[in-house]
Amino acid sequence: MFGNYMYYNTAYLIYLLPGLILGLYAQAKVKGAFAEYSKKESGGNFTGASLARKILDDHGLSHVPVNQVPGNLTDFYNPQDETLHLSQGVYGKSSVAALAVAAHECGHAIQDAEDYKPLRIRSWLVPAAQFGSNFAYILVFVGLIFSNFLTNLGIALYAIAVLFTLVTLPVEYNASSRAKNILATLLPSGDQKGVHKMLDAAALTYVASLVSALGTLLRLMAISNNRRN
Ligand SMILES: [Zn+2]
């Protein structure tokens, strides 16, 4: 019994490798792009905060406040209370990196205002996806001892977490493509390459999350199949 348990924990780790490697690569890319383009001052006349204010106002979103939050790359738009949050390295900064991030978050605010469906589905999936990623493993392993039903329930819950990372892709790519289009008109042409590099690197981290979640799902399914055969 204990030998089996050890086996389940160490076998099938191969499924987790692609997500892990792609994740590390994507993180290095984002950090590298941010390090490079946070040193490059934009040729435009904006800080992250003033740019976000202008983009929001231009899109009829004057009621959306732009707040500062602590941390690095902790920027987010909250659809629940319609507030935009920019990190310390973005809010008061006028680097190309800061402006790309600020415009991307405005992209989410505009999605919300336009009732962009993938954003709605994503918000809707959040509680189940969080529950799934926290409890799937426990359910699957407890199920291996007690009942197939719990194992299947764990796998089904984790599938929702995978679906969440899948729906995140169009949401993020769409926000970045809106940001690129908006910044093409607001920032000089010398800034555009950096804007694209920043946003494309960030997009890769979401692909890595999907690959990683898929790997975990396949691993759980393989463990369950092995137990039954
Ligand atoms: Zn985003």
Side-chain angles (χ1 to χ4, degrees), residues 141-154:
F141 283 101
V142 170
L144 288 177
I145 301 165
F146 295 111
S147 84
N148 281 342
F149 172 76
L150 289 180
T151 300
N152 293 338
L153 182 66

Side-chain angles (χ1 to χ4, degrees), residues 104-105 108 171-172 175 206:
H104 171 93
E105 296 309 327
H108 288 309
V171 174
E172 295 303 333
Y206 296 102

Side-chain angles (χ1 to χ4, degrees), residues 69-219:
V69 286
N72 240 330
L73 296 173
T74 46
D75 312 75
F76 68 101
Y77 169 74
N78 184 352
Q80 247 104 51
D81 61 1
E82 300 185 14
T83 53
L84 196 82
H85 304 267
L86 299 179
S87 63
Q88 287 163 330
V90 170
Y91 189 92
K93 300 286 160 61
S94 50
S95 67
V96 171
L99 301 185
V101 171
H104 171 93
E105 296 309 327
C106 290
H108 288 309
I110 298 166
Q111 288 174 337
D112 189 21
E114 290 183 1
D115 203 22
Y116 180 68
K117 285 293 172 280
L119 183 74
R120 290 281 170 272
I121 297 169
R122 187 171 173 270
S123 307
W124 188 67
L125 285 174
V126 169
Q130 270 172 357
F131 185 81
S133 55
N134 288 333
F135 292 102
Y137 265 95
I138 298 169
L139 282 172
V140 168
F141 283 101
V142 170
L144 288 177
I145 301 165
F146 295 111
S147 84
N148 281 342
F149 172 76
L150 289 180
T151 300
N152 293 338
L153 182 66
I155 290 173
L157 276 173
Y158 201 83
I160 298 174
V162 174
L163 190 63
F164 175 82
T165 61
L166 183 66
V167 178
T168 296
L169 284 188
V171 174
E172 295 303 333
Y173 274 86
N174 176 269
S176 283
S177 108
R178 287 171 194 263
K180 287 172 184 171
N181 290 338
I182 292 166
L183 292 182
T185 66
L186 291 181
L187 297 183
S189 59
D191 288 358
Q192 304 302 327
K193 186 183 155 205
V195 166
H196 281 245
K197 278 203 160 183
M198 270 298 299
L199 296 177
D200 293 344
L204 197 59
T205 62
Y206 296 102
V207 177
S209 297
L210 171 62
V211 173
S212 161
L214 262 179
T216 299
L217 181 66
L218 289 174
R219 178 170 183 254

Side-chain angles (χ1 to χ4, degrees), residues 1 4 8 144-145 148 222-229:
M1 178 65 225
N4 275 345
Y8 290 130
L144 288 177
I145 301 165
N148 281 342
I223 289 170
S224 154
N225 274 338
N226 179 277
R227 175 63 184 220
R228 272 165 216 177
N229 295 333

